[in-house]
Amino acid sequence: MTDDRRLRVALLGAGSVGSQVAALLLRHGDELADRAGARLDLVGVAVRDLDAPRDTDIPRELLTTDAETLLVGSDIVIELMGGIEPARTRLLQALNAGADVVTGNKALLATHGPELFEAADQVGASVHYEAAVAGAIPIIRPLRDSLAGDRVQRILAIVNGTTNYILDRMDLEGADYADVLADAQRLGYAEADPTADVEGYDAAQKAAILASLAFHTTVPLDAVHREGITQVDAALIESARAAGYVVKLLAVCERRTDEGREAISVRVHPALVRRTHPLASVHGANNAVFVQAEAAGDLMFYGAGAGGVQTASAVLGDVVSAARRHIAGGVGVGESTRANLPLLPIGRATTRYQITLEVDDRPGVLATVAGILADGNVSIATVEQRIIPGDGTARARLVIGTHIALEQDLGDTVERLASSGVVDRVASVLRMEGD
Amino acid sequence: MTDDRRLRVALLGAGSVGSQVAALLLRHGDELADRAGARLDLVGVAVRDLDAPRDTDIPRELLTTDAETLLVGSDIVIELMGGIEPARTRLLQALNAGADVVTGNKALLATHGPELFEAADQVGASVHYEAAVAGAIPIIRPLRDSLAGDRVQRILAIVNGTTNYILDRMDLEGADYADVLADAQRLGYAEADPTADVEGYDAAQKAAILASLAFHTTVPLDAVHREGITQVDAALIESARAAGYVVKLLAVCERRTDEGREAISVRVHPALVRRTHPLASVHGANNAVFVQAEAAGDLMFYGAGAGGVQTASAVLGDVVSAARRHIAGGVGVGESTRANLPLLPIGRATTRYQITLEVDDRPGVLATVAGILADGNVSIATVEQRIIPGDGTARARLVIGTHIALEQDLGDTVERLASSGVVDRVASVLRMEGD
């Protein structure tokens, strides 16, 4: 085909993903050349420390600490440094010099995505970022290309492997959060400081990226409502199980009609998922993205959400695409944000809820509770009342499943329940997704 | 962006998919224009009968019976006629005139794919066919682009909704094949003549397309080994269930090392799939493609495998891609078949097997059976022997799970077992996939 063509590829970063990308570029040169239409010459790998230990051997002569010089004259720049700076500056330099870029940097995309896409548009270059969401799972390309003729209605996604691993083990073993977290840290599934994962920051970055793409709208990271899993305990998972549900940390991206106008809601929080739902069988540190589209119906994409070599697969797929585009010339695909839908605050989100109350077991309590719910525009779908055994007083646990309600109505109603005098304690309030 | 640009789109065929494509093109014009970078003007719809009833209304003035004239001057030609001719001739005409083409025609691709791809290469046009395999599920683009930097090792795919619907109901209800088939025909899940589905012809076409793409090798349809589900009965499904398996009609595409050389095996047959495998929970008429890649690990793509509007989503995604490419100019992506791996005959396939024998329940029988297996290079992994109750004679059912064996060894061994004198009947031989 075009084996005489050669493209210069610069790699910035040689951590767990970067070092695997270097290894695969060097090992599979012939196959990649065939698929890309040009040889991909790895001209250098920018690292912070030339002597740091790495997962794979990179020839010493390829290593450099000078990223800025490395990317001069490169046709394709792969950024796997992570963090905002200097990644942002280097990618802008690369784009301005006409290189096509590939990045797996979700933090950068979620905060400075529009800036990068605009810089690419200016020079007719392209930005590829399949590795930024859900590791090896092809989800960016399906959303941007395969569903380009459809309308995405909703995405429910498990995009953080650490929290799925923790919740899955809590579900399987009845174990407590702190114990599983400690074990996950010991096994390398969670970091020493687990905040980014367990508080939902990582998932929120991915939600912003997915929603931007699915709804052709710029979704700022700070507009994504975010709750983590630190409040999820063994009792909550057990009662979810008893009711036929599993608790998952979900990124939810929804197209909505709100007060007569089209809008979107983007949020990350633990949610009850029915055990028969495809997302319920996503175990361990795996990821899955469940997409509901107007024409295509329900789709699910499943696989490893992290891991150096797995994510390297996504990066190399992007490198081949970037190479084909670089050869073909013409304009980049560009990120369409023309739809520019308004982003709803969390109070305007709608979903079903499960409210668990501890109440006195005496006549009239249920009627009072039901009245408060009705007054608050929260419609009851299911109620289950059980005596709380063994504490002498006559107390009951009331588990209420609601129909779809507005988050702000639900919040107001729960406050009114808490101060109503008939409710001892609001044990939990959980969103139910995917029903 | 480029709203002044316009592309002429011709649609050939207005059946269940085609009429939905026409409706979506007409209804979502603005959104499609934004995503494609040009307005997509539907210039005509070629049909056989102007007055035939259709799923959606197509303006009368767009209809024509003259496909050949319609495609003159078109930028993008969508072929949803089905069948080999005149679809093949029309697509070649379109490609030779420089149009990019979109087709959902699996029969045509499986038999004349290379001819179409070559015609496209000659003029720098492109052939898009996401709708040809697994309906709405994006699988072509992930295989061709997302995994372009990886090596696919194996694909296990449920690509025929009719047979999955039948097998799923047999599994859930313990029903018999003929009863479920009759019901499926009544409900529209199976056609009056179900041969193409139940004998595996449809799945074999899709297997040829998937394997060609995954292994960068031309896979002729007649080289795909094919078995259907007509021999699967309630007893077989019940004994699979008892052993923790479900029976699925699988398209299997495998990269193999055979006698020291790299090769591929492509086949369609019923197979035992462990109930914990992600493919086991694919119910009803849904499709799923399970991909194992060297770097990416296990991936699964799940969704509706058929349906007019669902498949129309895949077609429109392709139309947007074709439009972007048409505007960008340059060369088409092309189908890489450079790897050109040899295709193994079914005798050289390897997998695990479950062999169910009815034997006399007397001393030495198991030793004889085990000896024949060992002589035939078939290694035993599990054995379960049960008395066959109630028929007076002392007979037993022997269920043998093998380690990985060569198909021709297995076949020879089963023949020797059948004629050994200790085996009354070979009740079933099933391949076990995905373990």
Side-chain angles (χ1 to χ4, degrees):
Chain A
M1 206 191 288
T2 41
D3 275 11
D4 46 336
R5 297 216 51 158
R6 309 186 85 91
L7 294 178
R8 296 170 58 84
V9 179
L11 172 61
L12 314 184
S16 64
V17 180
S19 60
Q20 296 288 354
V21 167
L24 291 169
L25 273 172
L26 295 170
R27 198 191 316 150
H28 293 327
D30 289 346
E31 285 182 35
L32 290 169
D34 178 36
R35 297 178 197 170
R39 285 211 76 82
L40 303 174
D41 292 332
L42 180 61
V43 294
V45 182
V47 295
R48 258 183 304 208
D49 174 0
L50 295 174
D51 299 310
R54 307 186 203 291
D55 293 356
T56 69
D57 285 332
I58 300 174
R60 181 79 189 198
E61 65 272 21
L62 287 180
L63 296 179
T64 172
T65 55
D66 183 0
E68 192 168 355
T69 303
L70 172 63
L71 54 82
V72 174
S74 293
D75 299 302
I76 297 171
V77 174
I78 308 169
E79 184 273 307
L80 297 165
M81 298 189 278
I84 306 300
E85 285 295 353
R88 172 182 156 276
T89 301
R90 294 290 163 270
L91 283 183
L92 289 173
Q93 287 171 334
L95 288 167
N96 288 332
D100 289 288
V101 307
V102 175
T103 175
N105 191 330
K106 55 190 177 289
L108 181 62
L109 286 162
T111 51
H112 294 78
E115 184 183 13
L116 295 175
F117 301 138
E118 206 191 307
D121 272 352
Q122 294 283 331
V123 296
S126 61
V127 180
H128 305 257
Y129 53 98
E130 187 64 80
V133 181
I137 308 172
I139 182 61
I140 301 300
R141 214 172 256 107
L143 280 178
R144 195 193 55 203
D145 299 335
S146 308
L147 291 168
D150 205 334
R151 305 187 90 201
V152 175
Q153 300 291 359
R154 180 182 288 109
I155 294 174
L156 300 177
I158 296 170
V159 285
N160 181 271
T162 302
T163 49
N164 200 62
Y165 176 85
I166 292 173
L167 293 172
D168 191 39
R169 280 197 53 190
M170 289 175 73
D171 183 63
L172 293 173
E173 302 166 15
D176 235 321
Y177 171 74
D179 296 339
V180 178
L181 173 60
D183 214 38
Q185 287 172 316
R186 198 175 52 76
L187 295 167
Y189 285 105
E191 300 192 37
D193 176 0
T195 310
D197 293 317
V198 301
E199 295 290 3
Y201 290 99
D202 172 81
Q205 290 171 347
K206 294 161 177 171
I209 296 170
L210 288 175
S212 298
L213 200 54
F215 302 127
H216 309 277
T217 292
T218 300
V219 176
L221 178 57
D222 56 14
V224 177
H225 175 79
R226 177 193 52 73
E227 296 171 39
I229 65 163
T230 56
Q231 303 304 311
V232 177
D233 61 16
L236 193 147
I237 289 200
E238 178 50 37
S239 70
R241 162 183 290 280
Y245 289 88
V246 59
V247 178
K248 294 287 187 191
L249 183 70
L250 293 188
V252 181
C253 314
E254 276 182 322
R255 187 190 292 271
R256 283 270 313 290
T257 301
D258 182 78
E259 297 182 326
R261 60 177 191 169
E262 207 174 15
I264 58 173
S265 170
V266 187
R267 54 192 196 265
V268 168
H269 53 68
L272 294 175
V273 175
R274 200 177 288 279
R275 283 197 181 261
T276 50
H277 193 282
L279 286 172
S281 46
V282 177
H283 298 292
N286 285 305
N287 280 197
V289 183
F290 184 81
V291 180
Q292 297 181 291
E294 188 177 283
D298 294 351
L299 302 169
M300 192 168 91
F301 305 81
Y302 164 94
V309 70
Q310 291 87 344
T311 308
S313 169
V315 171
L316 281 179
D318 276 355
V319 170
V320 171
S321 290
R324 290 174 181 160
R325 208 213 64 81
H326 203 89
I327 296 168
V331 291
V333 166
E335 298 289 312
S336 158
T337 55
R338 175 94 50 113
N340 215 13
L341 298 173
L343 191 56
L344 297 173
I346 185 65
R348 303 297 302 169
T350 58
T351 186
R352 295 180 59 211
Y353 297 84
Q354 188 201 64
I355 308 169
T356 304
L357 306 173
E358 290 175 11
V359 298
D360 293 345
D361 184 23
R362 56 182 163 82
V365 168
L366 183 57
T368 305
V369 167
I372 293 171
L373 286 162
D375 288 349
N377 293 318
V378 178
S379 173
I380 298 176
T382 61
V383 182
E384 200 188 286
Q385 179 164 347
R386 283 220 195 118
I387 304 303
I388 298 175
D391 71 345
T393 63
R395 289 168 65 240
R397 182 182 301 269
L398 209 54
V399 181
I400 298 163
T402 78
H403 286 297
I404 285 188
L406 197 61
E407 178 94 10
Q408 66 198 26
D409 287 344
L410 196 282
D412 293 348
T413 301
V414 169
E415 263 181 45
R416 249 170 281 140
L417 285 170
S419 59
S420 66
V422 302
V423 172
D424 291 336
R425 192 168 85 89
V426 179
S428 68
V429 179
L430 282 170
R431 299 177 189 88
M432 306 165 81
E433 304 285 351
D435 273 7
Chain B
M1 205 189 287
T2 42
D3 275 10
D4 47 336
R5 296 215 52 157
R6 310 185 84 91
L7 294 177
R8 295 169 58 84
V9 179
L11 172 61
L12 313 184
S16 64
V17 180
S19 61
Q20 296 288 354
V21 167
L24 291 169
L25 274 172
L26 296 170
R27 198 190 316 150
H28 293 327
D30 289 345
E31 285 182 35
L32 290 169
D34 178 37
R35 297 179 198 169
R39 285 211 75 82
L40 304 174
D41 292 332
L42 181 61
V43 295
V45 182
V47 296
R48 259 183 304 205
D49 175 359
L50 296 174
D51 299 309
R54 304 186 207 291
D55 295 355
T56 69
D57 285 334
I58 300 173
R60 181 77 190 200
E61 65 271 21
L62 288 179
L63 296 179
T64 171
T65 55
D66 183 359
E68 192 169 355
T69 302
L70 172 62
L71 54 82
V72 173
S74 292
D75 300 301
I76 297 171
V77 174
I78 308 169
E79 183 272 308
L80 297 165
M81 295 189 280
I84 307 299
E85 287 294 355
R88 172 181 155 276
T89 301
R90 294 291 164 267
L91 283 183
L92 290 173
Q93 288 171 332
L95 288 168
N96 289 332
D100 289 287
V101 308
V102 175
T103 175
N105 191 331
K106 56 190 177 289
L108 180 61
L109 285 162
T111 52
H112 294 79
E115 186 183 12
L116 294 176
F117 301 139
E118 206 192 308
D121 272 352
Q122 294 283 331
V123 296
S126 61
V127 180
H128 305 256
Y129 53 97
E130 187 64 80
V133 181
I137 308 173
I139 181 62
I140 301 300
R141 214 172 256 106
L143 280 178
R144 195 193 54 204
D145 299 335
S146 308
L147 291 167
D150 205 335
R151 305 188 89 202
V152 174
Q153 300 291 0
R154 180 181 288 109
I155 294 174
L156 301 177
I158 297 170
V159 285
N160 181 270
T162 302
T163 49
N164 200 61
Y165 175 85
I166 293 172
L167 293 172
D168 191 40
R169 281 198 51 191
M170 289 176 71
D171 182 63
L172 293 172
E173 300 167 17
D176 235 321
Y177 171 73
D179 296 338
V180 178
L181 172 59
D183 214 36
Q185 287 171 316
R186 200 176 49 77
L187 294 167
Y189 285 104
E191 300 191 37
D193 176 1
T195 310
D197 294 317
V198 301
E199 296 289 4
Y201 290 99
D202 172 82
Q205 291 170 347
K206 293 162 177 171
I209 296 170
L210 288 176
S212 298
L213 200 54
F215 303 128
H216 309 276
T217 292
T218 300
V219 176
L221 178 58
D222 55 15
V224 178
H225 175 79
R226 178 192 51 73
E227 297 171 37
I229 65 163
T230 56
Q231 303 305 310
V232 178
D233 60 15
L236 194 147
I237 288 201
E238 177 51 37
S239 70
R241 161 182 292 279
Y245 289 89
V246 59
V247 178
K248 294 287 187 192
L249 182 70
L250 293 187
V252 182
C253 313
E254 276 182 323
R255 187 190 291 271
R256 284 269 314 289
T257 301
D258 183 77
E259 297 180 328
R261 61 176 189 169
E262 205 173 16
I264 57 173
S265 171
V266 186
R267 55 192 196 266
V268 168
H269 53 68
L272 294 175
V273 175
R274 201 177 288 278
R275 283 194 182 263
T276 50
H277 193 283
L279 286 171
S281 46
V282 176
H283 297 293
N286 284 305
N287 280 198
V289 183
F290 185 80
V291 179
Q292 297 181 292
E294 189 176 282
D298 294 351
L299 301 169
M300 193 168 91
F301 305 81
Y302 165 93
V309 69
Q310 290 88 345
T311 307
S313 169
V315 172
L316 281 179
D318 277 355
V319 170
V320 170
S321 289
R324 290 173 181 161
R325 207 214 65 79
H326 203 89
I327 295 169
V331 290
V333 167
E335 299 289 312
S336 157
T337 56
R338 175 94 52 111
N340 215 10
L341 299 173
L343 191 56
L344 297 173
I346 185 67
R348 303 297 302 168
T350 59
T351 186
R352 296 180 57 213
Y353 296 84
Q354 187 201 63
I355 309 168
T356 303
L357 306 173
E358 290 174 12
V359 298
D360 292 345
D361 184 23
R362 55 184 165 81
V365 168
L366 183 56
T368 305
V369 167
I372 294 171
L373 286 162
D375 288 347
N377 294 318
V378 178
S379 173
I380 298 177
T382 62
V383 181
E384 197 188 290
Q385 180 163 346
R386 283 219 197 119
I387 304 302
I388 298 175
D391 74 343
T393 63
R395 290 169 65 239
R397 182 182 302 267
L398 209 54
V399 181
I400 298 163
T402 78
H403 286 296
I404 286 189
L406 196 61
E407 177 94 10
Q408 67 198 25
D409 287 344
L410 196 282
D412 293 348
T413 302
V414 168
E415 263 181 44
R416 250 171 281 139
L417 285 170
S419 60
S420 67
V422 301
V423 171
D424 291 337
R425 192 168 85 89
V426 178
S428 68
V429 178
L430 281 170
R431 300 178 189 87
M432 306 165 81
E433 303 285 351
D435 272 8

